[in-house]
Every structure is written in C-alpha cells, then in structure tokens.
Amino acid sequence: MVGHSLPRSIWLAGAFLGISTLVASAQQAAQPLPPGSALIGRPDSEAAQKLAPVAPPPLPAAPDKLPIAKLKVPAGFNIEVYAAGMANARSLAVGDKGTVFVGSRLVDKVYAIVNKDGKREVKVLASGLYRPNGVAFHNGTLYIAELSKISKIDNVESVLDNPPKPTVIYDDLPKDEAHGWKFIAVGPDNKLYVPVGQPGNNVLHDDAHGQIRRMNLDGTGAEVVALGVRNSVGFDWNPENKQMYFTDNGRDWMSEDVPQDELNRITKVGEDFGAPYCYQGDIPDPEFGWGHSCSEFTPPVGLMGPHAAALGFRFYTGGMFPKAYKNAIILARHGSWNRSKKFGGDVVVVKLDKEGKVKSIEPLITGFLDNNSYVGRPVDVLQLKDGSILVSDDWNGAVYRVSYGKSKVAAKQ
Amino acid sequence: MQKTTIALALLLIASSANSETIEERAATCFACHGEQGQSETENTPSLGGQQAPYALIQLFMFREKLRTFEPMNEVAKPMTDDDLRNFSDFIAKLPKPKPTADAPDPARMQRAQELTMKYHCNSCHHQDFSGGDNVPRIANQREDYLAKTLSEYKDNSRHGYDGTMADVMGPVTPEQIKDLAYFLARVH
C-alpha cells in the first residue's frame, strides 16, 4: 500500500498562538529580488501588491466559448474565428501554399492550420519543444524559435502529414526564462532576426542580452543590430524603405502610467534604444539612469501605451482594406498586468507620417478587455494573400480573421 | 515504491472508469493525496483548498507531459478537458490542509518568515500564502513536498507554466529552502 492509513495526528488547536504575532513583528526590510523577477521594483503599497503577471488558462477555449461576439471592429470590417483549439496560440507565419504556422509559449507545440480541399484543419506540427514562441517562413522553410535555440523544417508544406523533427541551426543563446521567449522573422536582406531580451524587469546584464541579432539562414554569421532592447516580441520592415520597426515593452513598477511601450525603428546597425538606462526616449531610469542622458540613445518613433504589451505587428500591404490602411502598421497589444486599470488588450492601426514616425493610433479590434478582465489577449498579426489579416489570441488558443467589405467568410472548417 | 504507486493508480483508474460521480472518481486521487486531499504520503502534496486555476494548469501539464511524474502522467493521460476542469474545481472545494502539528521552533519560524519577505513570496502567494488564480496555495502544504518542489524549481528540473519560479529561486540557498518549507508547513 502506498498511503499510510494512520489517522491524522490530532491538531492541537491554539497550541501555537503567538507564532504569527512573533513572525509578524519581524521587520527586516525586504532585500533586492533576484535578477529576472517580475516583481523587482514593486513598491510596498497595497494596490501594487495586487498586481502580478496574468497567466492564461491552459486549455484552449471550445469554439462555442470564444469571445467572438464581444470583439468589435470598425464599420465595414468583419471578424470571424479562423481556427481554434490551439492551446496558447502565439506568433504567426504563413507558408507559400497558405498554411498558417502558430507558435506557443506555455506549451510545447507548434501548430499548422492547413487548408485542404476548402477545409481547414489544425495539426500539431512539432511538440516537445521548450517555449516555441517564434515562427518564421521563408523559401519553403519554417524557422522555429524556442527559448534558447533556433531550428528549422525544410520544405515544411510538403511534409505536414509526417513532419520530421526540427533541425537546430543556432543555439548560442542564453537560457534565462525572463524575456527568453522569442519572436523571429526573416528580413528583406534574407537574414533571420532573433531578439534576446533583458533577463529581468529592470537589470544590467552582460553582452549577450538586451539586443536583436541577425544571422544567415543557416545560423552562421550572427551579429547584433540593436542594443538597449528590453523585450521585443514583434518586428517587421517598412515596405517603403525597408527599415526595420520593432516593439519593445517598457519596464514595470515605475508607475501606473509610465513608461509607455515603444515602437522603434533601426536606421543603422548597432543603434542603442536605451533600456535599462532610458525608457520611452525621455525618462531616465530612476536607478540606472544616473550618469546617463536619454540623448545618448535612439528615441522611439512612437509610444504604444503604458504596460500595454505591444507585441506582434505587420505593415499592411494588402488590397482588401480601404486605402487609408495602406502601409499602416496593424499591431497587437496583449494588454497590461502591471496596472490597476488594465490597458491594451486590443489590435490597433498605427499610421506613420512622412518621416516614418507615429502619427495616429486607432482601434481595429477591441473587446478583449471586459470589466478590467481579459476575455482574450491578442499576440500577433499576419496578413494573408487575399488582404485579410489574422490575429492570434493566446488566452483562448484561437486565431481570428478580419476582412473588409461584404462579409465573405473564409472557407468553412 | 513508485511501481506500486503506478500499479495502484492504474488499478484505480480502471475501476473508476465507469463510476459516475466525481467523488467516486476522486478515490484515485485520495489513495496517494490522502482522504479529502490531506496528504499523509511522503513527497506528495495535499490538494485541499488548492486554487482551481493552478490545479487545472498542473493537471493539464501532467496530461501533456509538460510536468513529468509518471504516476500523475498516467492518471491524467485519459482525462478530457472537462475532466481536468471538474477535478480542479473539486480539489479547490476540499478542506484546506492544517499546519503541521508540532511545536514550531520560534527562532526558525522567524528566520524563515524574514526570508519570505526577502524573496517576496508573499507578493504573488499573498500574505497568508493562500495563493490566487494561477498561483498556488502553499500555506500548510507538506514540508517534504515544499522542499522538494522549491529545489526542483531552483535546478530547473521542474519547469513552471511560466518562468517565474525559476527566476525567483535563483539566489535561494538549499539551507534557506529547508527553512522556507519548515515555515510554510506550519504558518498560521
């Protein structure tokens, strides 16, 4: 037998009165948190103590439980469920034949949404991976970014029924959990771009962190293209001038309203975007900003909101949406945890001025945030060939499709 | 010992497959986790009063083998999503475990309580260590299980749902882990 069937010892109620008073009087000041903790810098106020990172449910929502009726799009746009049942659906990529690849962060899977004979079906393409958040497709090959390695599956759309294990191409990466998950993409220079976040909320770190690298598609020739990057979970290239834009999430616990998340632009290799010395281009960090000036660093081209968790985005180059959307950025804001009144939890349209700086931010999908609670959280945006866009939701494990014009629903599942 | 556990678990799964109520099916759980989820088994946690969202995450991770412990992987393997939800809700309604019934060493309790402040355990697990949502109740959990779990988070042999505990445990020493487990098992 396994369990001892001895009766539980009798609880001596009240025998230890005094312990709690005794320990409560221990007034040792709290010491610095370990590097990486999301709670570093948390003030000792009651309101602040209620805030902690929000974990999504582990199970994908059943199709009939998705919050689709709550999601609002502007007049003329339609939103529908494209695919569901993919636990923790995160980054998106699309293949030449229309297969949509979906990474995950809290489970071990990369999914493939396959279109075949007018039907849509979700397959598990790879499992047993460690935080496989990032996916990128280029010339037939799928690249997958786990916490500390990059791998690939060649000719992926030909092997969907019997996919091989991904082949590792690059693993010279730190193993930190904090900001260790990765968004990846292949640039117009045919290089793979890989971010390495800072290993904590607000920390000094070694030369291997706080940056975006690029490398050849076989993992060779890695070089750093951006520094002072705290945690970028989205990037794309401006179709007009091929400049790379990337989101960067600002630090926590400075205040409810600042710093805001950044939208940045790389104009030359090796630029420094400030973290952890300077945030949002004009706020010196109260701890690390001493001895520095924000003028040493490249300021963002726009601010995406306090603790908004601006993640994945794509420049819209499709022909379906109205003209005003051409070359605008469609960006997912996952939504805040480090704020009493939650902010974000939406997909916005970011328009740029002639200098490539943010001119306006308008809502495209709202309703993920309901009564200060999440009913869904958008992660990434992807444009399909027909000009419609897909949006992933890691809270529900689903992907939605937004189209414009007379409601033309994509092929039924 | 482990073989016996697996065999017993499998036997109970088989015998409970046709049972109707969750109470009947929970006999499998109670065999190791104790009557009403009050564990008397070495290194096996009490389940009573556990936060339902946390319990759901763990059952899911066992089923998907994101958390490995063979007996639990086997128990969870045939569970449907609804099973996972029902068992999590059921566990949460079981009585909370009680503090270890011995006379705590006041000096050690104080030392460990200071550690919980130093490492901010009370931030997510709350002042009374009852947890909330995806953060587990750790108050009055079994001391051996607490020590084992903290060590596993520290050496990264247990992967959390997210990486929070791996980061938190980085600077915590083995001696401090023992004190924390001692304290949490006895805290009022």
Side-chain angles (χ1 to χ4, degrees):
Chain A
M1 262 313 272
V2 178
H4 308 289
S5 43
L6 295 170
R8 256 193 89 83
S9 305
I10 295 163
W11 168 239
L12 303 173
F16 310 113
L17 286 178
I19 292 292
S20 50
T21 25
L22 182 117
V23 292
S25 68
Q27 288 298 327
Q28 186 194 7
Q31 291 182 17
L33 283 155
S37 169
L39 297 161
I40 284 177
R42 195 205 65 182
D44 268 340
S45 69
E46 207 182 310
Q49 289 189 13
K50 287 182 188 151
L51 303 175
V54 188
L59 299 171
D64 62 335
K65 297 271 166 61
L66 289 169
I68 192 77
K70 291 187 169 170
L71 302 182
K72 301 276 179 287
V73 287
F77 286 88
N78 318 292
I79 184 162
E80 67 189 297
V81 176
Y82 186 76
M86 299 162 286
N88 198 235
R90 295 274 300 180
S91 305
L92 299 170
V94 63
D96 294 334
K97 297 176 187 166
T99 311
V100 174
F101 301 97
V102 187
S104 66
R105 177 162 81 93
L106 301 176
V107 298
D108 58 343
K109 292 176 176 54
V110 172
Y111 310 93
I113 307 171
V114 181
N115 294 292
K116 208 177 170 186
D117 307 326
K119 284 194 174 171
R120 206 173 308 128
E121 174 189 358
V122 173
K123 291 172 186 280
V124 172
L125 183 75
S127 58
L129 305 177
Y130 196 60
R131 308 209 186 285
N133 183 76
V135 285
F137 182 93
H138 186 72
N139 282 350
T141 299
L142 181 73
Y143 298 86
I144 299 171
E146 294 177 70
L147 184 91
S148 61
K149 60 186 173 197
I150 314 292
S151 55
K152 66 167 185 172
I153 301 176
D154 286 327
N155 298 316
V156 64
E157 288 184 293
S158 313
V159 294
L160 293 171
D161 290 327
N162 194 15
K165 268 185 93 80
T167 314
V168 175
I169 58 166
Y170 185 78
D171 63 359
D172 183 18
L173 291 161
K175 294 186 163 52
D176 306 87
E177 289 277 0
H179 305 154
W181 59 93
K182 293 173 174 30
F183 177 95
I184 53 169
V186 177
D189 53 0
N190 288 334
K191 304 240 184 199
L192 183 67
Y193 284 71
V194 177
V196 185
Q198 294 179 335
N201 172 34
N202 194 45
V203 286
L204 296 175
H205 51 78
D206 62 18
D207 289 347
H209 293 84
Q211 57 195 238
I212 298 175
R213 302 177 192 178
R214 72 175 168 196
M215 60 192 69
N216 300 320
L217 295 174
D218 60 0
T220 62
E223 65 170 332
V224 174
V225 294
L227 294 162
V229 180
R230 181 177 172 277
N231 181 28
S232 177
V233 198
F235 33 82
D236 197 12
W237 285 261
N238 188 332
E240 292 183 53
N241 56 17
K242 309 294 180 212
Q243 285 176 336
M244 180 180 174
Y245 282 64
F246 69 92
T247 51
D248 196 11
N249 289 195
R251 61 160 290 189
D252 303 313
W253 302 121
M254 189 188 280
S255 80
E256 294 261 1
D257 294 335
V258 292
Q260 296 197 42
D261 288 354
E262 300 170 0
L263 181 65
N264 290 304
R265 171 182 56 176
I266 301 178
T267 53
K268 58 176 190 289
V269 166
E271 269 177 297
D272 192 322
F273 293 87
Y277 307 105
C278 172
Y279 289 100
Q280 71 162 54
D282 57 2
I283 301 180
D285 185 73
E287 185 180 359
F288 300 122
W290 295 96
H292 290 275
S293 161
C294 279
S295 63
E296 295 166 32
F297 308 104
T298 305
V301 293
L303 302 180
M304 296 293 114
H307 310 292
L311 303 185
F313 67 90
R314 296 294 194 282
F315 282 88
Y316 185 76
T317 57
M320 181 189 275
F321 291 5
K323 243 184 170 172
Y325 288 80
K326 190 164 173 59
N327 294 344
I329 290 170
I330 301 180
L331 182 144
R333 298 195 292 192
H334 198 223
S336 66
W337 64 264
N338 191 220
R339 198 169 194 276
S340 299
K341 189 174 188 306
K342 290 190 172 65
F343 182 90
D346 55 14
V347 176
V348 292
V349 179
V350 179
K351 289 179 183 159
L352 303 178
D353 64 19
K354 284 199 176 102
E355 291 173 1
K357 294 182 176 168
V358 172
K359 183 172 68 178
S360 65
I361 303 176
E362 301 150 24
L364 181 65
I365 312 176
T366 55
F368 289 105
L369 192 50
D370 185 26
N371 198 19
N372 212 30
S373 293
Y374 292 110
V375 297
R377 293 184 89 181
V379 178
D380 198 13
V381 174
L382 180 73
Q383 184 185 309
L384 294 181
K385 266 185 195 162
D386 68 359
S388 63
I389 61 153
L390 299 183
V391 173
S392 58
D393 170 1
D394 64 351
W395 190 269
N396 292 300
V399 171
Y400 311 105
R401 175 176 177 264
V402 177
S403 57
Y404 182 79
K406 207 171 178 187
S407 183
K408 245 192 274 169
V409 172
K412 284 276 180 211
Q413 287 194 59
Chain B
M1 164 76 190
Q2 203 185 53
K3 272 189 181 156
T4 327
T5 314
I6 298 168
L8 180 75
L10 291 174
L11 186 74
L12 286 162
I13 296 166
S15 67
S16 67
N18 298 320
S19 302
E20 285 176 336
T21 68
I22 192 146
E23 285 78 6
E24 283 163 346
R25 294 180 68 187
T28 312
C29 314
F30 294 163
C32 297
H33 291 280
E35 210 42 53
Q36 296 302 303
Q38 315 296 305
S39 172
E40 295 179 20
T41 312
E42 201 179 28
N43 285 326
T44 303
S46 291
L47 304 177
Q50 192 49 276
Q51 300 290 342
Y54 170 79
L56 177 64
I57 287 169
Q58 299 310 311
L59 285 171
F60 171 81
M61 290 181 76
F62 280 127
R63 188 182 72 179
E64 307 296 316
K65 294 197 174 168
L66 297 170
R67 179 178 172 189
T68 45
F69 180 66
E70 207 181 327
M72 279 308 299
N73 297 135
E74 287 299 322
V75 167
K77 202 168 163 181
M79 286 189 179
T80 64
D81 287 0
D82 278 341
D83 284 339
L84 302 185
R85 291 189 187 98
N86 291 337
F87 274 107
S88 313
D89 292 344
F90 174 75
I91 287 166
K93 289 187 194 110
L94 296 172
K96 298 182 286 199
K98 294 193 168 67
T100 303
D102 60 8
D105 169 357
R108 197 174 180 195
M109 289 297 276
Q110 174 161 353
R111 191 165 73 222
Q113 205 260 357
E114 287 167 8
L115 289 175
T116 66
M117 291 164 71
K118 173 175 174 176
Y119 294 119
H120 298 253
C121 310
N122 54 356
S123 292
C124 295
H125 292 280
H126 292 175
Q127 293 293 348
D128 61 357
F129 306 100
S130 60
D133 292 331
N134 56 305
V135 179
R137 168 188 296 279
I138 49 175
N140 309 137
Q141 186 49 272
R142 281 184 64 94
E143 183 178 350
D144 55 0
Y145 177 75
L146 286 166
K148 171 175 165 292
T149 304
L150 290 171
S151 305
E152 288 171 348
Y153 277 132
K154 183 173 169 62
D155 69 17
N156 217 17
S157 57
R158 176 169 168 185
H159 290 151
Y161 186 51
D162 62 22
T164 309
M165 283 304 294
D167 286 323
V168 169
M169 291 308 293
V172 184
T173 67
E175 278 312 305
Q176 290 174 333
I177 286 177
K178 283 184 200 158
D179 282 348
L180 286 167
Y182 180 90
F183 169 80
L184 291 167
R186 290 165 177 80
V187 68
H188 280 224

